[in-house]
Amino acid sequence: MSRPDRYFDWHQVREYASRVQTAADGQLRLRVIFTVFALLVLLIFGRLVQLEWKYGEAYRQVAAQPHERRTVLPAPRGRILSRDGAVLAMDEPCMALAVHYRYLQQPLDARWLRNAARRRLSREERRDSQRVAQAENEVRVEVAELHRRLARMCELSPEQWTARTSRIERRVESIAKSVNERHQRAVAEAAATETPPTDTLNLPSWLAGGHIEQWLAKLTQSVPPVSNANITVAEELDFHIVADEVPLAVVAEIESHPEDFQGVRLVHQRLRTYPSTTLAAHVVGHVATATEEERAEFDLDNDATLEDDPQVGRLGIERQYESLLRGKPGLQTEWTDASGNVLELRSKTEAVPGRDLVLTLDATLQRTCESLLESALRRRRGSNSDDDHPAGGGAIVVIDVRTGEVLALASAPTFDPNAFVTGGSEAARLLSDTNAPLLDRPIQMALPPGSVFKVISSAALLAEGAIDAHRPFFCQGYLDRPDRERCQIYIHRSVGHGETTLSDALVRSCNVYYFHHATEVPPGTFADWAHRFGLGSKTHIDLPYEFAGQVPATRQKDESNDDTQRIAEARALVIGQSTLTATPLQMARAIAAVANDGQLVTPRLVRSFGTSHIEEEDERLSIASAPSPVHVEGLDASILSTLRGAMRLVVADREGTAHATVEFDAVSIAGKTGTAQAGGPQEDHAWFVGYAPHERPRVAFAVVLEHAGSGSLAAGPVARRVVEQLHRLGYVTPRGQRPSVASKPSHSSAATTQE
């Protein structure tokens, strides 16, 4: 009898068996996964053991090794003082504004920007990519606004601010590039010398091949303790000075609201200042941030102890003696831990201050000369209604006739060098001023000397034997035609000077006398004597950018035009015109040669150097002394005696062109007036050169006023005031009895013309 089907269901049995098999398969898969996981953990653990055994000690040494931190100790720049102790330039402590490099980068560093944005978001917001991008944009806007705000507070234009931050960025990028290039070379050399591993991975077939094997191979390969990733240099994590001499109001604002000035720090610094402001500004000069050319000239890029934007002398003594004034910065090296805590002071090299320079200038005399020039320019501006013709400027030079020491070197208009230390609108205005206040007129204003050149022409005529100093020549007021080659007295009063000797010609500045004798010497004679007196060449004063002036080349005899052009040029040159130009310093030096028995001295401005701890063998101390004076060839005692006597009469004789405006009872002055044609509709240039006292000369001087007209009326009174101050200061004193000057009868019905 068969069993009923309801007691045994084969379908259920098969379903049950299937479930059992599925469970077994799941357990197998779990075992496989667990086995793989255990194997990976074992491999990682084995790798850690390998690293510990092979590199553990090396890594611990690297981790324990302290970090080196270097701090530059700035060297105070040397002071500049006058001979009487007035401080003309010095360093003063001040507050500077520094900004963290990450806030200066343009564009902002991507990693820093992302971290800065994420710090202001919650954990949930950080998962929102749009919210993160919005936060990054907010950071960009805030940094840009911070830059604009700081520029306004520091009184800098956006262009000036950007120029400064760009300089810092370029410098840091250059440092980072150099460091990383050296690092990559070191890594490449280390990799080239390492022996490649010879062991291979023995993996089961079900793990071999594909990405798993590649990953395991990377996991087990040798990893040197030196990474080839780019290094972040210290400059990228530091603050950099953007603005010097921050106003106190700005300091108070930043210190009161530090939360509004993230990435900004106030630091103590030393700033170059000029306490006497405009006094001797052209002589002292000023400092400014070094340009690329100046960095190369003074080898600043190779000096690791310099700040981001080193300042160097740009003009004057600051430029000429830059290497001495700059001093030598110090360097402090410390070891710190990973947190920046100082572990040990490894070394410290103290900064060596720059040398003080004591100038030959007398501050009181210099101030008087500058005041006289400013007064003369004010008078000219008041009388000049023609706006198309600027008031021009002027110069006064006073030098010691024996040593070449410069007692005064005044230029007008002048400027305040403090405007260039930190830059700004005033510096830009000075650079664009049509009156050229930055022009150092005593050494850079090359003008026709006019009649003051007649002193040199007279020496040439006497030395060549072309004239007898005592033989008279009759001056009718013009040479050949009344419409040209005339004397000033004829132009104004239609009369001549009458019988005129060489002395008379100098005393009354007779042009016709020199026109007549100009052709009695060989061609080139006057140009040759101009060179002998130092014209056409630099005086080699210890100032940069001196002009040499110009002495016209000698025109050779030309048969085609019957020598007319050469004769005309000789007659123009003999009275200091033609294309002849000279600086006030050159003419003062030439007159000094007349006063000191024919010695051409080299002007100098530095009288002595302050103490310094810089080693004596340092090449920066090797400053050449002024060359010995050179005697003017052909200038003998008889010629000098004639010239000196005539120059004394220019001032002492009642008919002398300078008698009314220069004669000074306390001191005997010798000199020569000059009125040089400027060309065109502008007024002539006014000159007066001379020396004092006449009996035993101590100083020579030159006064030049651009477009001021008559030398006797414009420059003469200024020269007298200069000598009065020299007398008060004790530089010139009466020597013996003043010579009595006989009154000389006039050779015409007219009084002496003012030249």
Side-chain angles (χ1 to χ4, degrees):
M1 184 174 178
S2 63
R3 284 183 165 181
D5 291 341
R6 59 188 178 88
Y7 293 104
F8 188 83
D9 190 343
W10 287 103
H11 177 73
Q12 291 180 355
V13 172
R14 286 193 297 270
E15 185 178 348
Y16 174 77
S18 177
R19 286 199 300 270
V20 172
Q21 183 64 40
T22 301
D25 291 343
Q27 291 178 357
L28 178 61
R29 283 195 294 269
L30 287 175
R31 292 191 189 97
V32 171
I33 292 173
F34 177 78
T35 302
V36 171
F37 179 75
L39 179 61
L40 293 177
V41 171
L42 184 61
L43 288 173
I44 294 173
F45 180 75
R47 178 58 172 162
L48 292 177
V49 172
Q50 180 197 19
L51 290 176
E52 170 62 25
W53 174 73
K54 189 172 183 180
Y55 299 117
E57 184 63 27
Y59 278 124
R60 279 190 291 273
Q61 290 179 1
V62 172
Q65 186 176 7
H67 300 278
E68 183 180 82
R69 182 170 67 190
R70 294 185 176 185
T71 304
V72 175
L73 307 177
R77 195 173 175 87
R79 298 179 302 166
I80 301 176
L81 305 96
S82 66
R83 68 190 299 146
D84 49 347
V87 179
L88 304 176
M90 62 182 293
D91 278 5
E92 285 188 344
C94 69
M95 296 296 288
L97 185 141
V99 181
H100 196 280
Y101 179 71
R102 295 306 184 195
Y103 285 80
L104 296 176
Q105 283 182 285
Q106 292 298 327
L108 298 174
D109 181 74
R111 182 178 179 182
W112 176 86
L113 178 61
R114 182 174 61 256
N115 292 337
R118 289 172 63 86
R119 280 194 298 270
R120 60 178 61 189
L121 300 177
S122 64
R123 182 172 300 177
E124 291 75 14
E125 290 176 323
R126 293 173 186 172
R127 299 190 183 99
D128 186 348
S129 60
Q130 292 185 350
R131 186 67 185 90
V132 173
Q134 181 182 356
E136 290 181 356
N137 189 57
E138 292 173 358
V139 174
R140 293 190 188 94
V141 172
E142 291 174 5
V143 171
E145 178 57 32
L146 177 66
H147 280 232
R148 287 190 290 268
R149 186 177 182 184
L150 292 175
R152 288 195 303 269
M153 295 171 68
C154 296
E155 300 179 353
L156 296 173
S157 68
E159 294 76 16
Q160 291 172 323
W161 179 270
T162 302
R164 296 186 181 197
T165 58
S166 298
R167 279 199 304 268
I168 296 172
E169 188 174 3
R170 287 195 301 269
R171 178 175 179 271
V172 174
E173 287 177 350
S174 175
I175 294 173
K177 180 181 178 182
S178 176
V179 170
N180 280 287
E181 285 178 351
R182 293 197 300 269
H183 174 66
Q184 294 298 335
R185 285 196 297 268
V187 171
E189 291 173 0
T193 57
E194 183 181 3
T195 304
T198 58
D199 54 330
T200 58
L201 294 173
N202 296 317
L203 299 177
S205 59
W206 54 276
L207 285 177
H211 297 291
I212 296 179
E213 183 176 10
Q214 295 176 9
W215 180 78
L216 291 173
K218 291 181 180 179
L219 180 66
T220 58
Q221 69 182 1
S222 296
V223 179
V226 180
S227 171
N228 61 357
N230 278 346
I231 296 175
T232 299
V233 297
E235 286 77 5
E236 294 178 275
L237 305 175
D238 203 356
F239 288 78
H240 299 265
I241 294 176
V242 182
D244 301 293
E245 197 179 16
V246 179
L248 292 178
V250 176
V251 174
E253 177 71 14
I254 295 175
E255 291 182 342
S256 301
H257 305 90
E259 68 280 358
D260 295 336
F261 298 94
Q262 296 294 325
V264 179
R265 178 184 294 176
L266 295 170
V267 297
H268 293 277
Q269 196 184 16
R270 302 188 70 87
L271 183 71
R272 193 64 165 175
T273 60
Y274 301 92
S276 299
T277 61
T278 60
L279 181 65
H282 296 87
V283 174
V284 175
H286 65 83
V287 298
T289 301
T291 63
E292 295 299 328
E293 293 77 10
E294 289 167 336
R295 281 178 173 273
E297 178 181 353
F298 297 110
D299 197 26
L300 301 183
D301 290 326
N302 295 327
D303 193 341
T305 63
L306 291 177
E307 58 274 15
D308 291 322
D309 291 316
Q311 291 192 324
V312 298
R314 183 61 54 81
L315 293 175
I317 292 294
E318 293 274 28
R319 176 75 175 192
Q320 185 74 15
Y321 293 100
E322 165 63 26
S323 57
L324 274 180
L325 289 166
R326 188 170 67 240
K328 191 173 183 179
L331 188 65
Q332 179 173 292
T333 304
E334 300 169 327
W335 278 5
T336 65
D337 58 19
S339 300
N341 300 314
V342 178
L343 300 176
E344 181 183 355
L345 176 62
R346 294 294 299 168
S347 64
K348 183 176 182 180
T349 304
E350 295 292 346
V352 180
R355 284 201 166 214
D356 291 347
L357 301 184
V358 180
L359 305 185
T360 60
L361 293 182
D362 185 295
T364 304
L365 178 63
Q366 178 76 17
R367 187 174 288 107
T368 297
C369 292
E370 292 181 4
S371 177
L372 290 171
L373 287 176
E374 180 58 33
S375 298
L377 292 185
R378 267 200 310 270
R379 288 193 298 270
R380 171 161 169 73
R381 283 193 294 265
S383 62
N384 185 13
S385 60
D386 188 355
D387 294 336
D388 293 334
H389 297 148
I396 298 177
V397 178
V398 182
I399 65 173
D400 188 304
V401 299
R402 299 292 176 183
T403 65
E405 289 189 354
V406 180
L407 303 178
L409 201 71
S411 180
T414 187
F415 67 97
D416 184 353
N418 291 294
F420 290 92
V421 176
T422 56
S425 58
E426 178 61 16
R429 185 195 68 78
L430 290 169
L431 290 169
S432 60
D433 194 329
T434 56
N435 285 320
L438 301 181
L439 182 68
D440 193 356
R441 285 172 164 82
I443 66 171
Q444 295 176 336
M445 181 176 66
L447 301 175
S451 290
V452 298
F453 185 73
K454 290 175 182 175
V455 176
I456 298 176
S457 299
S458 299
L461 291 171
L462 289 170
E464 296 296 328
I467 59 172
D468 180 346
H470 304 289
R471 186 171 62 191
F473 163 79
F474 185 79
C475 169
Q476 59 183 345
Y478 59 88
L479 186 61
D480 298 319
R481 291 171 47 179
D483 60 340
R484 64 182 186 183
E485 294 175 338
R486 302 170 293 179
C487 288
Q488 288 292 321
I489 192 173
Y490 185 84
I491 295 174
H492 293 287
R493 302 182 182 179
S494 300
V495 296
H497 291 109
E499 296 292 333
T500 304
T501 63
L502 174 63
S503 178
D504 298 329
L506 276 173
V507 170
R508 290 174 283 175
S509 201
C510 178
N511 289 341
V512 174
Y513 181 92
Y514 291 95
F515 291 150
H516 173 75
H517 294 292
T519 57
E520 297 181 3
V521 294
T525 297
F526 300 115
D528 175 52
W529 275 85
H531 285 298
R532 296 188 194 189
F533 274 91
L535 275 60
S537 303
K538 296 180 180 181
T539 67
H540 298 294
I541 187 174
D542 45 349
L543 282 177
Y545 314 126
E546 181 186 10
F547 286 14
Q550 178 178 336
V551 174
T554 302
R555 182 184 291 270
Q556 299 301 319
K557 185 173 181 179
D558 190 345
E559 299 292 345
S560 62
N561 60 11
D562 195 26
D563 223 14
T564 303
Q565 187 65 31
R566 185 185 63 80
I567 293 174
E569 290 184 358
R571 288 173 176 170
L573 178 58
V574 76
I575 62 167
Q577 294 291 159
S578 183
T579 57
L580 176 69
T581 60
T583 65
L585 180 61
Q586 286 177 321
M587 290 308 304
R589 182 190 187 210
I591 296 304
V594 175
N596 67 11
D597 300 327
Q599 302 297 317
L600 204 60
V601 297
T602 299
R604 60 188 180 95
L605 277 163
V606 173
R607 192 181 193 195
S608 62
F609 303 96
T611 58
S612 174
H613 299 290
I614 302 176
E615 294 81 359
E616 290 301 323
E617 63 268 22
D618 194 321
E619 63 180 2
R620 294 180 298 170
L621 299 183
S622 58
I623 295 182
S625 58
S628 301
V630 178
H631 186 77
V632 179
E633 183 182 357
L635 195 61
D636 59 31
S638 62
I639 296 175
L640 288 170
S641 177
T642 301
L643 296 178
R644 289 173 187 163
M647 291 178 67
R648 173 61 187 138
L649 293 176
V650 168
V651 179
D653 195 301
R654 287 186 300 175
E655 292 187 357
T657 55
H659 176 73
T661 58
V662 181
E663 175 69 342
F664 180 37
D665 291 338
V667 178
S668 56
I669 305 172
K672 180 70 185 79
T673 58
T675 304
Q677 297 175 6
Q682 299 191 63
E683 284 193 78
D684 298 336
H685 304 301
W687 284 79
F688 186 85
V689 297
Y691 63 88
H694 170 64
E695 297 81 6
R696 294 184 182 178
R698 169 74 190 280
V699 297
F701 50 88
V703 177
V704 188
L705 301 175
E706 290 181 272
H707 310 299
S710 166
S712 60
L713 296 179
V718 176
R720 171 176 170 151
R721 295 285 300 276
V722 171
V723 176
E724 288 175 355
Q725 183 66 295
L726 286 166
H727 176 58
R728 283 191 290 269
L729 295 173
Y731 287 105
V732 293
T733 54
R735 298 287 184 179
Q737 290 294 113
R738 294 177 57 226
S740 59
V741 180
S743 176
K744 299 179 67 175
S746 174
H747 296 290
S748 68
S749 58
T752 301
T753 317
Q754 300 295 341
E755 184 189 43

